Amino acid sequence: METPSAIWLFFQDQILGMKWLNSLIGKGLTAAGLEPASILGGSLQFFLYDTIKIFVLLSVLIFGISYIQSYFPPERTRQILGRFHGIGANTVAALLGTVTPFCSCSSIPIFMGFTSAGLPVGVTFSFLISSPMVDLGSLVLLMSIFGAKVAVVYVLLGLVIAIVGGTLLEKLKMERYVEDFIKNAPHMQTEADSLTRRDRIAYAKAQLLGTIKKVAPYIFIGVGIGAVIHNAIPQAWVETVLGSHNPFAVILATVVGIPMYADIFGTIPVAESLLFKGAGLGTILSFMMAVTTLSLPSLIMLKKAVKPRLLAAFIGICTVGIIIVGYLFNFFQYFLI
């Protein structure tokens, strides 16, 4: 009889990781005359395998999460958050952020709506931080590549950044740095939804198609970059710049990641290849967090809603939190993978 650990290993490798797919693609390339051990064959195998795997997992996740989201329209979410106060409200906001859209730019309009509805600025920022950084999709995809321990710790530390960041902004009395047009925006009360199951399925399908169209370019770009790193970039280069022997690797990865724009699904293939080449685990995850949470387009959008001092505080708190998480992951890497 199989032990629970063997069953879990099978689930992680063959269901989430789809290792059977990688093997199948390798055999197909060999039959076509391309050797997977070569640079071209290996890059093509990586690209096909990761692209198919990510789109399959992403489709299942988006549909399921969107169906759940249909029970939590913005007004209902605002009502839920309004029942809590202090750090409890920040915690609930961070947890609600895990079942919302997958990129920071998608989360900002919801953040604006919550702020205009009168929710404390710290609570709304806890939501804004957690939404792109630690959604359920990132948990499953990270689990498929790095294992359950890394995925769970990543999500927990991401939630800590969101909760602590929002709490600090609340303690700093940053409400006065929200633009007046956001605070004074009219807020319409809505009745509880009465959607049928068919309506919810239709909503989930629409969200699935819309999200796939939006993230597909970043997935292709991310997997393409990952394939090049995985098969063409010398391991010594990656280890020198992003390995554990460089004490500034985490800071470098965070700073480099901030100006970029991608969602979690576009950065994971790059992270997978960097880890394979010897980059530190914390360095990689800091890069992912910076790209998804502090992307330049999202900061430009956020600047329209908040004044420079609040924007600077948000960037500073998130950056410091991401760097701390990166060093923690590097320190405990031996125990996690």
Side-chain angles (χ1 to χ4, degrees), residues 35-184:
E35 180 55 50
S38 67
I39 292 179
L40 178 59
S43 297
L44 187 57
Q45 181 181 14
F46 183 96
F47 184 84
L48 293 173
Y49 165 61
D50 262 38
T51 300
I52 295 172
K53 178 183 71 174
I54 289 174
F55 272 112
V56 170
L57 291 176
L58 181 59
S59 297
V60 174
L61 287 166
I62 293 174
F63 185 87
I65 293 171
S66 297
Y67 189 88
I68 295 171
Q69 268 188 281
S70 69
Y71 289 93
F72 296 95
E75 173 60 22
R76 181 173 297 172
T77 305
R78 187 197 68 79
Q79 291 174 352
I80 293 172
L81 291 174
R83 298 172 188 166
F84 298 88
H85 303 281
I87 197 168
N90 293 95
T91 302
V92 174
L95 290 172
L96 285 174
T98 63
V99 291
T100 51
F102 296 101
C103 70
S104 51
C105 287
S106 300
S107 304
I108 287 176
I110 301 177
F111 155 81
M112 291 179 178
F114 287 165
T115 304
S116 66
L119 289 176
V121 69
V123 174
T124 58
F125 269 99
S126 287
F127 170 87
L128 182 63
I129 295 169
S130 74
S131 180
M133 186 186 290
V134 292
D135 60 68
L136 297 179
S138 67
L139 173 63
V140 174
L141 274 182
L142 284 168
M143 197 179 295
S144 73
I145 294 173
F146 299 112
K149 286 191 285 188
V150 172
V152 170
V153 175
Y154 172 88
V155 169
L156 289 176
L157 291 178
L159 287 172
V160 168
I161 292 176
I163 295 167
V164 172
T167 302
L168 284 175
L169 290 172
E170 192 73 30
K171 297 297 183 183
L172 292 172
K173 308 293 184 184
M174 287 289 180
E175 289 87 353
R176 61 186 182 276
Y177 298 114
V178 175
E179 292 290 356
D180 292 337
F181 80 91
I182 295 292
K183 292 187 288 188
N184 300 328

Side-chain angles (χ1 to χ4, degrees), residues 270-336:
V270 179
E272 179 184 11
S273 296
L274 289 172
L275 184 67
F276 177 80
K277 288 293 185 177
L281 176 63
T283 304
I284 294 166
L285 296 180
S286 291
F287 172 76
M288 291 172 55
M289 284 182 167
V291 170
T292 55
T293 308
L294 296 172
S295 66
L296 188 59
S298 68
L299 295 180
I300 292 172
M301 290 178 63
L302 187 58
K303 186 178 183 298
K304 298 181 182 297
V306 301
K307 297 176 182 178
R309 186 169 295 187
L310 176 52
L311 182 65
F314 168 71
I315 295 172
I317 289 171
C318 287
T319 301
V320 171
I322 289 169
I323 290 172
I324 291 172
V325 166
Y327 280 112
L328 285 174
F329 265 106
N330 277 348
F331 185 78
F332 292 105
Q333 178 171 343
Y334 175 80
F335 302 100
L336 295 172

